[in-house]
């Protein structure tokens, strides 16, 4: 259990820590820097004072002064001493007073020294004057005296006085006194005249004045140097050091006391910390993590700070050089920045744009309200706006220029989260040129689709009819020319289709009809489509489908991919080689399709550009293999839309293997020729692979389940295993007479009533007499698709009158409709709700359904969805409702041939005409309803 502290304990711990901090502040020693600085100043004062006194002494003995001893020097010392009144704050008040008293004493001493020096200098000047005049006085006195001892003593006294003036002191004064004494004795011994005595008296008086002034000057200098300001400076330093020592001693005692108190507080805090040990451990771990993150963040910020300036410069350059308009908006949607491209797009200077509301500036007044709301939602990041992966919103809308012109633009709104209020950056791209290019491309595609493909299709059909002998037998040379023309026409159509497919893929308009597809069917349909090409190239096609894999995909597109891969394999395989088409499960449960040839392989350096557009292995003008270079690019795009990717492996000289994998659909193993009970099953018996592929594609598109048998033996096995709903039989089978085989079917009770449609370009022997008894209809080749579908529909319907299922919840409407249809000779079946309609349609399949949308229990949409899942998907339908149907509704309400009529607008004649059209001849069979099935005209 984590330790917990009461609020009181936490408060006491916090108080103890606060007190400890205060004691630490109080007990910490004073700053040694202040002490050292002040002591240095004191020492500098002492040195300066000593230097001053030394200069005074040098002046006294006649030496050169080093620093000077003028009044200005005394004033500088006094100013320096006054600065020392700002003592360190660590000294107590009493110590400061004592220190200031010492400073006052020093200043007084210094001032006294200044006065003494001035007096000494004055005396020195007088002494110098007397000293200069003394030799002259001595000479005059000597001249007044007669030769003798007195005159000799006078001349000797001049020397003594001169020596005394150069070496002042007591010894010099004694010598002068002795000289005066000797002169007095000589005076007494030698009689002198009165003038001589007067001269001697004057000389003695002058000498004694000189010596007295000499002694006074010496006394002044001695008084100047004896007590001395230097001594006071020494005492000042001593006083400060004593005070500092006392202050430190008191502080030390205080620190000892505070240290004891701190120990007590630390003990208390330690007790608190011990109680917080477990919590602090977790907190410490968290702190370490935070410190690591802070360190990382700091390092990142230090690195990013260097990039910030460069980023700002780059951003400015981007804003200036960007071909797209960049508009920065504040949180209210007003323009904050407007780059040059935006100025060009809107033809508006930035000075007028900044501060304006962007929506009012950019959107024309004629813009629909819904479009304006979409732009508003994108700008302010509302929920209704579509977002890109990065959170930005992009849409296309007309924008308004300053001169009133409107131009198509693509606006991308990106919210910028940074310091300060949020901002939105709008990227404005002028789509005028793109729209013009798209319009040109659409016109080109429309031209290719209509003006080229439509006449080419007619040309191909006409050439096919000529090749099949519709105008009689053609000469061999003419037949070869027709065949060449048809082949090249088909090649040109394939090129156009490839270009259109590429355009659809680039524009994202290629729609896939994803449905479960057995791999066996895909491989068989592919091989059937390229069998003729393989036979012409003398290449054998082989297939290997392991198990019964199924995938979910678009049947036509997957067959297109496999056909392209197989046709390429045939083109690049030598004569006598074989091409293997395989399908099976991979280790991870996916379905793998592969096409392997025995050609020369693909050079390794050409593999990277293999799936590029208009890329061919041999791109020279003399290449032997034809093609547009679009097949593999289209195939790769189709497979990628199915969630896979085509890959290739090609060992040198060992052929190439193209393969791709798709997600597998788990389904039970199918029979050799499976039967789909939800659809009508049609067995196509033909050895012509191209005809089989054509018929299977047509019937599959109409909702039939088409299975091929390449021989009569395979057809017999398929019929015995699961009889189909109808047979399409090519009368030109290589393994026997077809009519004999059909006769044997008619002899078997199980297949006696099986509808048989014969496909033949010319009559068979005996067909005129026997065909009507054995087959439902004879269909010439090339096949008329409308007639084939019509015949199948009639062949597989139940015998009897034309049956019309009228589905409406209003009984009066049902009676009126039934009366109209019965007058036409149809048998009407009524249903008042959706469930009854579905049940009746399954029990007795109608030839036509007249359906209202607003039905109880199951509405019209649900009825159509259910019927699409079964054999009723090809049933003609008239949607007769009072509801206005949109195009989406009309697409959903579609079965076979469908007409959409509105009750309030459609006339009775229009309704009856639609019924006649969709029943398409069944009304004429009313009188022959009970007759046995016979050939149709």
């Amino acid at each position: 259990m984590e330790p917990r502290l009461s609020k009181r304990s936490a408060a006491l711990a916090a108080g103890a820590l606060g007190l400890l901090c205060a004691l630490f502040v109080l007990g910490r020693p004073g700053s040694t820097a202040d002490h050292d600085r002040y002591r240095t100043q004191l020492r500098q004062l002492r040195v300066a004072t000593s230097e001053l006194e030394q200069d005074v002494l040098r002046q006294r003995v006649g030496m050169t002064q080093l620093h000077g001893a003028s009044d200005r020097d005394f004033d500088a010392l006094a100013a320096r001493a006054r600065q020392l009144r700002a003592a360190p704050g660590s000294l107590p008040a009493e110590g400061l007073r004592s220190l200031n008293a010492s400073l006052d004493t020093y200043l007084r001493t210094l001032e006294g020294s200044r006065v003494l020096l001035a007096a000494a200098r004055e005396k020195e000047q007088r002494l110098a004057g007397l000293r200069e005049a003394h030799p002259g006085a001595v000479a005059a006195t000597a001249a007044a005296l007669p030769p003798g001892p007195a005159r000799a003593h006078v001349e000797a006294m001049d020397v003594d006085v001169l020596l005394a003036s150069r070496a002042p002191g007591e010894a010099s004064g004694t010598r002068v006194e002795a000289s005066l004494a000797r002169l007095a004795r000589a005076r007494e011994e030698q009689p002198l005249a009165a003038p001589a005595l007067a001269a001697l008296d004057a000389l003695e008086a002058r000498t004694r004045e000189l010596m007295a002034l000499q002694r006074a000057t010496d006394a002044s200098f001695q008084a100047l140097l004896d007590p001395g300001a230097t001594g006071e400076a020494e005492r000042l330093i001593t006083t400060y050091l004593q005070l500092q020592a006392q202050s430190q001693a008191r502080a030390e005692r205080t620190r000892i006391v505070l240290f004891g108190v701190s120990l007590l507080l630390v003990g208390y805090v330690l007790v608190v910390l011990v109680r917080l040990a477990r919590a602090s451990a977790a907190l410490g771990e968290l702190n370490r993590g935070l410190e690591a993150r802070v360190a990382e963040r700091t390092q990142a910020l230090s690195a990013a700070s260097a990039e910030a300036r460069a980023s700002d410069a780059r951003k400015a350059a981007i804003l200036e050089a960007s071909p797209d308009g960049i508009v920065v908006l504040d949180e209210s949607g007003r323009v904050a920045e407007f780059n040059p491209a935006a100025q060009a797009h809107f033809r508006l200077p930035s000075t007028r744009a900044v501060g304006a509301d962007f929506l009012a500036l950019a959107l024309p007044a004629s813009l629909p309200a819904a479009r304006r709301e979409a732009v508003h939602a994108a700008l302010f990041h509302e929920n209704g706006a579509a977002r890109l992966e990065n959170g930005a919103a992009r849409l296309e809308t007309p924008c308004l220029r300053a001169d009133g012109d409107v131009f198509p633009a693509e606006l991308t709104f990106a919210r910028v989260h940074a310091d300060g209020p949020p901002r939105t950056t709008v990227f404005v791209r002028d789509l005028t040129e793109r729209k013009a290019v798209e319009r040109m491309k659409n016109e080109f595609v429309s031209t290719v689709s209509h003006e080229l493909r439509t006449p080419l299709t007619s040309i191909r059909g006409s050439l096919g009819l000529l090749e099949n002998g519709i105008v009689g037998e053609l000469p061999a040379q003419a037949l070869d020319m027709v065949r060449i023309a048809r082949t090249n026409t088909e090649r040109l159509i394939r090129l156009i289709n490839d270009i259109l497919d590429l355009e659809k893929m680039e524009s994202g308009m290629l729609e896939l009809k994803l449905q479960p597809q057995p791999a066996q069917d895909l491989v068989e349909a592919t091989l059937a489509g390229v069998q003729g090409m393989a036979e012409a190239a003398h290449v054998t096609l082989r297939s290997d489908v392991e198990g019964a894999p199924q995938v979910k995909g678009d049947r036509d597109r997957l067959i297109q991919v496999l056909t392209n891969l197989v046709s390429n394999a045939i083109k690049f395989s030598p004569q006598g080689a074989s091409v293997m088409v395989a399908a099976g499960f991979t280790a991870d449960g996916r379905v793998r399709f592969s096409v392997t040839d025995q050609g020369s392989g693909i050079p390794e350096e050409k593999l990277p550009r293999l799936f590029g557009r208009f890329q061919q292995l041999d791109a020279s003008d003399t290449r032997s293999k034809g093609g547009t270079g679009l097949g593999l690019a289209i195939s790769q795009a189709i497979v990628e839309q199915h969630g896979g990717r085509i890959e290739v492996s090609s060992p040198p000289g060992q052929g190439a293997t193209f393969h791709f994998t798709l997600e597998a659909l788990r389904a039970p193993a199918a029979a050799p020729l499976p039967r789909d009970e939800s659809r009508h099953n049609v067995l196509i018996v033909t050895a012509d692979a191209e005809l089989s592929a054509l018929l299977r594609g047509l019937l599959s598109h109409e909702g039939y389940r088409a299975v091929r048998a390449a021989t009569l033996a395979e057809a017999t096995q398929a019929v015995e295993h699961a009889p189909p709903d109808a047979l399409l039989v090519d009368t030109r089978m290589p393994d026997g007479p077809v009519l004999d085989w059909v006769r044997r079917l008619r002899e078997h009770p199980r297949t006696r009533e099986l509808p048989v449609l014969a496909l033949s370009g010319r009559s068979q022997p005996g067909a005129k007499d026997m065909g009507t008894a054995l087959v439902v209809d004879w269909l010439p080749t090339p096949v008329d698709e409308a007639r084939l579908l019509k015949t199948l529909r009639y062949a597989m319907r139940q015998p009897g009158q034309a049956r019309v299922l009228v589905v409406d919840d209003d009984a009066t409407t049902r009676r009126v409709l039934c009366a109209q249809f019965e007058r036409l000779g149809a048998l009407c079946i009524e249903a008042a709700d959706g469930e009854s309609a579905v049940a009746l349609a399954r029990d007795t399949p109608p030839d036509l359904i007249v359906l209202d949308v607003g039905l109880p229990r199951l509405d019209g949409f649900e009825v159509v969805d259910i019927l699409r899942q079964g054999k009723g998907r090809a049933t003609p339908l008239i949607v007769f409702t009072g509801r206005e149907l949109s195009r989406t509704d009309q697409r959903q309400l579609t079965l076979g041939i469908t007409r959409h009529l509105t009750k309030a607008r459609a006339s009775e004649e229009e309704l009856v005409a639609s019924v006649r059209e969709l029943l398409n001849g069944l009304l004429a069979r009313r009188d022959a309803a009970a007759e046995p099935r016979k050939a149709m005209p």
Side-chain angles (χ1 to χ4, degrees):
M1 180 178 179
E2 294 292 335
R4 301 182 62 182
L5 291 179
S6 64
K7 293 183 179 180
R8 180 179 179 184
S9 299
L12 289 175
L17 288 175
L19 182 58
L20 182 60
C21 293
L23 293 176
F24 173 77
V25 173
L26 293 175
R28 65 186 179 88
S31 174
T32 59
D34 293 341
H35 167 67
D36 295 340
R37 177 180 55 79
Y38 194 78
R39 186 173 58 184
T40 301
Q41 292 177 350
L42 287 174
R43 289 177 177 173
Q44 291 174 350
L45 180 66
R46 184 189 62 183
V47 171
T49 304
S50 176
E51 290 174 348
L52 180 64
E53 290 181 349
Q54 289 176 5
D55 284 342
V56 171
L57 182 60
R58 286 189 179 92
Q59 181 183 1
R60 177 74 181 91
V61 299
M63 297 176 63
T64 303
Q65 296 182 9
L66 297 178
H67 302 283
S70 64
D71 289 343
R72 187 172 55 189
D73 297 325
F74 277 93
D75 291 339
L77 279 177
R80 185 178 292 183
R82 292 188 188 95
Q83 290 178 355
L84 292 174
R85 293 187 185 276
S90 60
L91 295 178
E94 181 180 356
L96 288 175
R97 286 193 296 272
S98 176
L99 185 61
N100 287 329
S102 299
L103 283 171
D104 292 339
T105 302
Y106 172 79
L107 290 173
R108 287 194 299 272
T109 303
L110 186 63
E111 187 62 27
S113 298
R114 183 209 298 263
V115 174
L116 289 174
L117 180 60
R121 286 179 174 173
E122 182 180 358
K123 293 176 182 180
E124 182 71 22
Q125 290 177 357
R126 288 174 55 197
L127 179 62
L130 292 175
R131 189 181 293 122
E132 290 178 359
H134 188 270
V138 170
T141 301
L145 292 177
R151 185 175 182 177
H153 285 301
V154 168
E155 293 176 353
M157 187 179 63
D158 184 26
V159 176
D160 291 337
V161 171
L162 180 60
L163 291 175
S165 63
R166 291 182 177 178
E170 295 181 0
S172 299
T174 303
R175 180 181 296 179
V176 173
E177 289 293 336
S179 179
L180 287 174
R182 286 192 299 273
L183 180 61
R185 286 192 299 272
R187 176 180 178 182
E188 292 175 356
E189 294 176 356
Q190 182 180 356
L192 297 173
L197 291 174
L200 284 175
D201 291 338
L203 178 61
E204 183 180 359
R206 184 181 294 277
T207 300
R208 290 189 181 280
E209 182 183 2
L210 177 63
M211 295 308 298
L213 188 57
Q214 178 74 38
R215 285 191 294 270
T217 301
D218 292 341
S220 295
F221 276 106
Q222 186 65 34
L224 176 64
L225 298 176
D226 203 10
T230 301
E232 292 299 328
E234 289 288 350
R235 281 190 291 274
L236 181 61
I237 293 176
T238 303
T239 301
Y240 172 73
L241 292 179
Q242 290 175 353
L243 292 175
Q244 179 66 20
Q246 294 173 3
S247 175
Q248 289 181 349
R250 285 194 300 270
E252 188 66 27
R253 289 193 297 271
T254 303
R255 283 197 295 273
I256 291 173
V257 174
L258 294 179
F259 180 72
V261 177
S262 300
L263 286 178
L264 296 177
L265 294 176
V266 168
Y268 178 74
V269 172
L270 286 176
V271 172
V272 175
L273 292 178
V274 168
R275 297 183 62 188
L276 289 174
R278 294 182 181 177
S280 63
L283 183 60
E285 185 65 25
L286 179 60
N287 286 338
R288 285 191 293 273
L290 289 176
E291 289 174 358
R293 293 183 61 186
V294 168
E296 293 176 0
R297 184 60 177 168
T298 303
Q299 185 177 3
L301 288 176
S302 62
S305 62
E307 297 180 3
R309 293 183 293 273
S311 177
D312 292 340
R314 288 195 300 269
K315 182 172 68 175
I318 290 173
L319 288 175
E320 294 294 328
S322 173
D324 292 338
I326 300 178
V327 184
V328 180
L329 309 179
D330 59 19
E331 56 185 350
S332 63
R334 295 189 174 275
V335 177
E337 295 183 25
F338 209 67
N339 80 326
Q343 299 178 37
H345 290 341
F346 291 98
R347 298 174 184 170
L348 183 70
S350 61
T351 54
R352 291 177 52 192
V354 173
D357 182 77
F358 177 74
L359 296 182
L361 179 147
L363 301 184
S366 60
L367 190 68
R371 183 70 65 84
R372 186 178 295 272
E373 291 176 359
V375 177
H376 185 277
L379 172 59
F380 293 100
H381 286 247
E382 298 175 358
N383 294 331
R387 299 288 166 195
L388 303 177
E389 293 182 0
N390 58 0
R394 178 176 296 167
L395 50 83
E396 293 185 9
T397 181
C399 286
L400 180 67
R401 303 189 198 273
D403 56 7
D405 289 345
V406 177
F407 68 97
E410 179 185 80
L411 303 182
T412 303
F413 298 88
R415 179 63 61 93
V416 178
H417 299 280
D419 296 338
R423 293 195 170 193
T424 301
T425 301
V426 185
F427 299 90
V428 183
R429 178 167 294 178
D430 191 343
L431 301 181
T432 303
E433 294 184 2
R434 183 196 296 180
K435 293 296 183 181
V437 172
E438 289 179 356
R439 184 168 56 255
M440 294 172 60
K441 183 179 69 173
N442 292 335
E443 292 174 356
F444 170 74
V445 172
S446 176
T447 301
V448 170
S449 177
H450 184 268
E451 301 299 334
L452 291 180
R453 189 162 58 174
T454 301
L456 284 174
T457 303
S458 300
I459 293 172
R460 181 186 62 178
S462 300
L463 293 174
L465 293 176
L466 289 175
E467 185 180 0
N468 290 324
I470 192 171
V471 295
E473 293 289 343
L474 296 177
Q477 186 175 5
L479 185 61
D480 289 341
M481 301 303 291
V482 169
R483 186 177 296 110
I484 292 172
R486 178 184 59 79
T487 302
N488 284 278
T489 302
E490 291 176 349
R491 178 183 176 187
L492 185 56
I493 291 175
R494 285 196 299 271
L495 174 60
I496 295 173
N497 290 336
D498 288 346
I499 294 175
L500 294 178
D501 285 344
L502 274 179
E503 192 277 333
K504 289 182 180 179
M505 294 174 188
E506 290 178 350
S507 61
M509 299 177 61
L510 183 64
E511 297 181 359
L512 299 179
K513 301 176 182 179
L514 300 179
Q515 295 178 349
Q517 305 291 343
Q520 180 71 41
D521 286 358
L522 298 176
V523 173
E524 288 182 357
T526 301
L527 296 184
V530 297
Q531 183 64 43
M533 178 180 180
E535 292 175 355
H538 303 285
V539 174
T540 304
L541 298 180
R542 294 188 295 127
S543 64
D544 181 14
V545 180
E546 298 180 358
Q550 287 191 2
V551 296
K552 187 174 184 180
D554 188 312
R555 174 184 175 84
D556 294 336
R557 292 299 177 182
L558 291 178
I559 291 177
Q560 179 181 354
V561 172
L562 291 173
T563 299
N564 183 269
L565 297 179
V566 175
S567 61
N568 283 344
I570 293 173
K571 284 194 297 184
F572 292 96
S573 294
Q575 293 186 4
S578 62
V579 173
M580 171 64 73
V581 182
F585 291 105
T586 61
D588 57 357
R590 295 169 62 88
V591 179
R592 182 179 187 270
F593 294 86
S594 65
V595 177
T596 304
D597 61 50
Q598 296 178 350
S600 59
I602 303 172
E604 184 176 358
E605 65 274 8
K606 294 185 179 182
L607 289 177
R609 62 184 181 89
L610 193 60
F611 294 95
R613 298 173 182 176
F614 300 101
Q615 295 292 331
Q616 295 180 335
L617 294 182
D618 182 8
S620 64
D621 295 336
T622 59
R623 62 178 182 265
S624 59
K625 309 297 182 182
T628 63
L630 294 174
L632 287 178
I634 295 174
S635 300
Q636 185 72 280
I638 293 174
V639 173
E640 287 178 351
Q641 289 197 13
H642 281 80
R645 183 169 182 80
I646 300 177
E647 297 179 357
V648 59
S649 59
S650 179
Q654 300 182 20
T657 298
F658 289 79
H659 60 89
F660 60 91
T661 59
L662 302 177
E663 288 291 337
L665 288 179
R666 299 300 179 186
L673 290 176
R675 180 180 178 86
D676 188 352
E677 294 298 335
S678 68
R679 294 188 286 176
H680 289 291
N681 291 272
V682 178
L683 178 61
I684 301 173
V685 185
T686 177
D688 189 339
E690 292 185 2
L691 177 61
S692 172
L694 174 65
L695 294 175
R696 292 183 68 175
L698 173 63
L699 297 178
S700 297
H701 184 268
E702 293 297 324
Y704 293 98
R705 165 73 172 179
V707 179
R708 177 199 177 195
T711 63
L712 293 178
E714 291 182 5
T716 301
Q717 182 180 2
V719 171
E720 291 177 353
H721 179 269
D725 296 299
L727 281 175
L728 282 178
V729 183
D730 187 357
T731 57
R732 295 172 296 183
M733 295 298 292
D735 55 342
V738 173
L739 292 181
D740 293 343
W741 180 75
V742 174
R743 184 182 295 105
R744 290 193 296 273
L745 291 180
R746 290 285 182 252
E747 294 173 354
H748 197 284
R750 190 179 181 187
T751 56
R752 181 173 298 162
E753 299 296 329
L754 179 63
V756 178
L757 280 72
L759 306 175
S760 176
R762 51 182 62 87
S763 299
Q764 294 283 325
K768 184 176 181 180
D769 299 329
M770 304 172 57
T772 55
L774 300 178
V775 300
V776 175
D777 198 359
W778 289 85
L779 299 176
T781 55
V783 177
D784 185 340
E785 297 178 359
R787 180 178 177 182
L788 170 63
L789 296 176
K790 175 182 175 181
T791 304
L792 274 177
R793 177 185 167 199
Y794 290 161
M796 289 185 289
R797 68 179 294 273
Q798 294 182 358
Q801 288 179 262
R803 292 178 293 276
V804 179
L805 175 60
V806 180
V807 187
D808 200 303
D809 59 340
D810 183 65
T812 303
T813 301
R814 293 199 306 272
R815 286 196 297 271
V816 172
L817 293 176
C818 289
Q820 293 175 349
F821 301 157
E822 286 173 352
R823 283 199 301 270
L824 297 176
L827 174 64
C828 291
I829 307 171
E830 298 182 32
D833 55 72
E835 289 187 356
S836 301
V838 172
L840 290 172
R842 288 175 173 175
D843 181 59
T844 305
D847 299 303
L848 173 65
I849 300 177
V850 179
L851 177 68
D852 190 9
V853 176
L855 298 174
R857 303 171 82 174
L858 293 177
D859 62 18
F861 291 96
E862 294 172 311
V863 170
V864 171
D865 287 339
I866 293 174
L867 293 179
R868 279 178 179 171
Q869 309 304 318
K871 295 182 178 180
R873 70 183 67 190
T875 304
L877 172 66
I878 295 177
V879 179
F880 192 58
T881 180
R883 172 178 171 178
E884 293 290 340
L885 300 177
S886 65
R887 291 186 179 275
T888 302
D889 295 338
Q890 292 179 3
R891 285 194 297 270
Q892 293 178 349
L893 293 169
T894 301
L895 285 177
I897 302 174
T898 303
R899 299 288 182 268
H900 300 89
L901 303 178
T902 304
K903 292 180 179 179
R905 297 180 181 178
S907 63
E908 179 180 350
E909 290 78 9
E910 185 177 357
L911 174 62
V912 171
S914 298
V915 171
R916 288 183 181 276
E917 175 191 1
L918 297 182
L919 289 178
N920 197 12
L922 289 177
L923 295 176
R925 295 175 173 240
R926 176 179 52 179
D927 298 334
E931 297 179 4
R933 191 179 281 113
K934 62 180 181 178
M936 296 184 63

